[in-house]
Amino acid sequence: MSAGGDIWAVIPVKEFDGAKHRLSGLLSPDQRRALAETMLTDVLDAVAAARRLAGVMVVTLEPRARALAERIGARVETEGARDGHTGSVTAGLRILAREGRGGMITMPGDIPAATGAEIDAVLAAHLPAPSFTISPAHDDLGSNAVVCSPPDSVPLRFGEDSYFPHLDAARRQGIEPVVVRQPGIAMDIDHPVDLRTFLRLPQSRGTRTRALLEGFGLE
């Protein structure tokens, strides 16, 4: 058992081909594929370093993501993997709920500056069930880490404007959400401006993603 109880990480991962098309003005298809794989590697390193997780589940059909997940001993599920971000997370949390797990934290695979310490800090702030904790994106639009106990305690719907709707969804379930801001978790990479912001972020130092981007000539 982990230091923080029976909470699993659920990481949804789409196929890398065609990933991050909004960066197509800066990066070639091969570069965007490499970026998606490298960001996921950093995220998986972070969840592997977190001390408060009971386990890690990656929901994907991408062969390279499966290999990366297995490298850290994560469980791989394919149920819901073609149903988008929300569908993949929902499938993962339903599996955990059926198994009677205590809770789950879900994060995307494009927050490479996240660290195990940040994940542990979010889990440390999480209250006894029923409870809901959220760590928003830097723009207060996205929901970059969401913790639910039990796993299906709050209906989730991800998108570019999900943070405040998730706060409302928790309150409709009678749960007052806990908000924990973390600079690494907050930094997702979708748009060209995100790359520049990421490279200026102190938490990006030492990540594989920063080394890759610098290798592309981006600074």
Side-chain angles (χ1 to χ4, degrees), residues 126-132 148-150 153 173-176:
H126 192 57
L127 299 174
S131 56
F132 179 88
C148 295
S149 294
S153 58
Q173 301 301 313
I175 301 171
E176 183 57 29

Side-chain angles (χ1 to χ4, degrees), residues 119-136:
I119 295 168
D120 281 337
V122 174
L123 295 175
H126 192 57
L127 299 174
S131 56
F132 179 88
T133 302
I134 190 166
S135 192

Side-chain angles (χ1 to χ4, degrees), residues 7-214:
I7 294 182
W8 279 60
V10 175
I11 314 292
V13 183
K14 295 187 295 188
E15 286 90 339
F16 293 148
D17 284 340
K20 296 297 172 187
H21 64 277
R22 282 175 286 196
L23 300 177
S24 57
L26 280 177
L27 302 177
S28 70
D30 285 346
Q31 287 175 321
R32 287 185 280 117
R33 193 181 197 287
L35 176 62
E37 180 173 340
T38 304
M39 289 194 297
L40 176 64
T41 304
D42 279 327
V43 171
L44 292 177
D45 284 348
V47 295
R51 297 182 61 251
R52 291 177 173 269
L53 287 171
V56 179
M57 176 192 295
V58 174
V59 182
T60 190
L61 292 169
E62 166 60 50
R64 283 296 301 152
R66 171 182 286 276
L68 292 171
E70 291 174 347
R71 178 181 62 89
I72 65 161
R75 171 180 175 179
V76 178
E77 296 286 350
T78 58
E79 180 179 331
R82 290 203 186 281
D83 299 334
H85 190 130
T86 298
S88 296
V89 172
T90 301
L93 68 87
R94 284 177 176 165
I95 291 171
L96 295 176
R98 285 199 301 267
E99 296 175 352
R101 305 290 184 179
M104 70 98 196
I105 176 171
T106 185
M107 296 174 291
D110 64 354
I111 52 171
T115 66
E118 288 190 344
I119 295 168
D120 281 337
V122 174
L123 295 175
H126 192 57
L127 299 174
S131 56
F132 179 88
T133 302
I134 190 166
S135 192
H138 61 95
D139 55 7
D140 269 3
L141 293 176
S143 305
N144 286 6
V146 175
V147 195
C148 295
S149 294
D152 55 354
S153 58
V154 175
L156 304 177
R157 183 172 294 279
F158 293 90
E160 291 196 353
D161 185 11
S162 65
Y163 172 51
F164 289 105
H166 276 148
L167 297 181
D168 293 340
R171 290 176 177 128
R172 283 196 296 273
Q173 301 301 313
I175 301 171
E176 183 57 29
V178 174
V179 177
V180 182
R181 297 180 183 276
Q182 295 290 343
I185 290 176
M187 190 64 250
D188 49 0
I189 295 177
D190 285 314
H191 303 280
V193 67
D194 297 334
L195 292 175
R196 293 188 287 273
T197 304
F198 170 78
L199 290 169
R200 289 196 300 266
L201 193 70
Q203 286 81 355
S204 73
R205 293 173 186 154
T207 64
R208 299 168 193 256
T209 299
R210 180 167 177 151
L212 180 78
L213 293 172
E214 290 174 345

